[in-house]
C-alpha cells in the first residue's frame, strides 16, 4: 500500500489551532496561510480581526493583525487601506459580525468598492457566545435563543449575502465551503482570486465560506459536514457571482 504523506503546514502557522474539534475555521485558516505563503505576501498583509471564533487565528498564524470594535471591519479596513495602500487589507469575519452588528459597515465598504477583502465564515449561528440566532440561522433551525426553531413570522427570513450584493459594482463575490478536498480547493482558488483583485486595484471582494459548528449544532464533526452538504448547499447558491 502506498504511503500518504501529510502536507506540511506553512511556516506562517506557528502552532496548533485553538478551535473546537471539527470547527471549519481551522481549515480556512490553513487555506489562508497557504495562500499568503504562496503569494509571498505575509509581510505585506494586515488582517483586521473581528471579535468571535475567528479571532483565534491570531494565536496560530504569524501575521500582523488589528482588532477593531465588534463588527466594524468595513470601517477599519477602509482606514487601513487608505493609510497603507501598499498593504493587503483583509478580514476574517463571522456571519454575525459581518451581517448583523457590522452590516452597515460591510455594505458601506462594498458600495464604495473599497479595495479590501472580506472572508466571512458562515456557520449559521453565533458560535463564540453559545449558538444564538444569527442573521444566517436557517428557517426551522434550533438555536439556543430559538428553542422552537427560527420562524419567518417571529424572526424574519435568513440573510443571504449573495442576493444582497450580487448587483453591486464590486470586484469579486463568491460562496464556497470546506466539506471535502474538492471544495477546499475551490475555496483556496477563491481566496487567491479575491486577494489578486485587491493586488490589481480592482476593488471590494467578499468570499463567504460555509463552515460547520459541531459544538453549537449538537452534531459530530462528520454529521456537521453532512449538514452543510444536505441542507446549506441546497439552500444557498454556490460558486462565483461577480468576477471583474
Amino acid at each position: 500500500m502506498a504511503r500518504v504523506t501529510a502536507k506540511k503546514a506553512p511556516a506562517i502557522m506557528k502552532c496548533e489551532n485553538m478551535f473546537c474539534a471539527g470547527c471549519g475555521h481551522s481549515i480556512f485558516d490553513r487555506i489562508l496561510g497557504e495562500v499568503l505563503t504562496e503569494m509571498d505576501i505575509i509581510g505585506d498583509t494586515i488582517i483586521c480581526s473581528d471579535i468571535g471564533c475567528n479571532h483565534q487565528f491570531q494565536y496560530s498564524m504569524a501575521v500582523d493583525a488589528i482588532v477593531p470594535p465588534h463588527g466594524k471591519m468595513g470601517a477599519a479596513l477602509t482606514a487601513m487601506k487608505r493609510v497603507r495602500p501598499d498593504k493587503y487589507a483583509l478580514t476574517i469575519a463571522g456571519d454575525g459580525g459581518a451581517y448583523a452588528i457590522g452590516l452597515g459597515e460591510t455594505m458601506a465598504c462594498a458600495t464604495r468598492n473599497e479595495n479590501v477583502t472580506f472572508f466571512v465564515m458562515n456557520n449559521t449561528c453565533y458560535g463564540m457566545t453559545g449558538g444564538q440566532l444569527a442573521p444566517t440561522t436557517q428557517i426551522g433551525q434550533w438555536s439556543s435563543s430559538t428553542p422552537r426553531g427560527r420562524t419567518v413570522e417571529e424572526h424574519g427570513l435568513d440573510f443571504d449575502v449573495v442576493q444582497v450584493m450580487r448587483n453591486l459594482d464590486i470586484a469579486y463575490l463568491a460562496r464556497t465551503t470546506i466539506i471535502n478536498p474538492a471544495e477546499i480547493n475551490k475555496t483556496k482558488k477563491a481566496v487567491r482570486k479575491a486577494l489578486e483583485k485587491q493586488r490589481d486595484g480592482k476593488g471590494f471582494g467578499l468570499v463567504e465560506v460555509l463552515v460547520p459548528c459541531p459544538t453549537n449544532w449538537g452534531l459530530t464533526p462528520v454529521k456537521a459536514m453532512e449538514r452543510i452538504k444536505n441542507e446549506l448547499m441546497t439552500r444557498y447558491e454556490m460558486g462565483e457571482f461577480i468576477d471583474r
Side-chain angles (χ1 to χ4, degrees), residues 70-97:
H70 185 31
K72 307 308 178 185
M73 301 80 66
L77 284 172
T78 297
M80 289 162 54
K81 190 67 177 183
R82 293 190 181 192
V83 171
R84 293 301 304 266
D86 56 315
K87 300 297 183 181
Y88 288 82
L90 62 98
T91 185
I92 309 172
D95 51 292

Side-chain angles (χ1 to χ4, degrees), residues 48-51 68-80 91-94 96-99 102 105-106 109 116 118 120:
C48 178
S49 174
D50 186 27
I51 304 300
H70 185 31
K72 307 308 178 185
M73 301 80 66
L77 284 172
T78 297
M80 289 162 54
T91 185
I92 309 172
Y99 304 153
E105 282 77 10
T106 301
C109 194
V116 301
F118 271 67
V120 183

